[in-house]
Amino acid sequence: MRGRVALRECGALGNGMIAKTAHNQLCMVTGAAIAECVTMAVKAGVKPQDVYLALKDGDFGQGVLLGILPYVVFKGDYDAQPVSFPLKMAHKDLA
């Protein structure tokens, strides 16, 4: 289901196309990642409905990743320390 279409002013000529390309890239990469994650969970025995609810109700489904952008990216501090979620924490969950 598609949401509303919004037109945005993105500054200089061509910036809108760059922003649209970034959006489309994120959609394609996210779609592929979701497919991989759902496939892994279902093959491991989790019902598809349960996987969906876990994704929808977790940080991913609640928009947490996009919500942090203004606090990180807009500041222009791409090398911030300490990181908000260290890789060792992700490794713990995936190992």
Side-chain angles (χ1 to χ4, degrees):
M1 180 182 296
R2 290 184 52 98
R4 65 184 178 96
V5 176
L7 299 176
R8 303 253 186 262
E9 173 66 39
C10 294
L13 184 64
N15 283 359
M17 183 57 76
I18 294 168
K20 178 183 177 189
T21 300
H23 172 270
N24 290 349
Q25 180 181 7
L26 182 60
C27 287
M28 288 182 264
V29 169
T30 304
I34 290 171
E36 290 292 331
C37 293
V38 170
T39 299
M40 179 272 306
V42 170
K43 285 187 173 191
V46 182
K47 291 188 277 185
Q49 307 89 303
D50 292 336
V51 178
Y52 166 73
L53 291 174
L55 295 175
K56 180 180 81 65
D57 295 339
D59 284 351
F60 176 81
Q62 299 301 309
V64 170
L65 297 175
L66 283 177
I68 65 171
L69 283 180
Y71 304 103
V72 178
V73 177
F74 295 175
K75 292 182 351 186
D77 188 7
Y78 304 110
D79 297 317
Q81 293 294 329
V83 295
S84 62
F85 193 81
L87 286 178
K88 67 181 175 182
M89 297 294 288
H91 183 266
K92 171 189 69 74
D93 292 339
L94 298 174

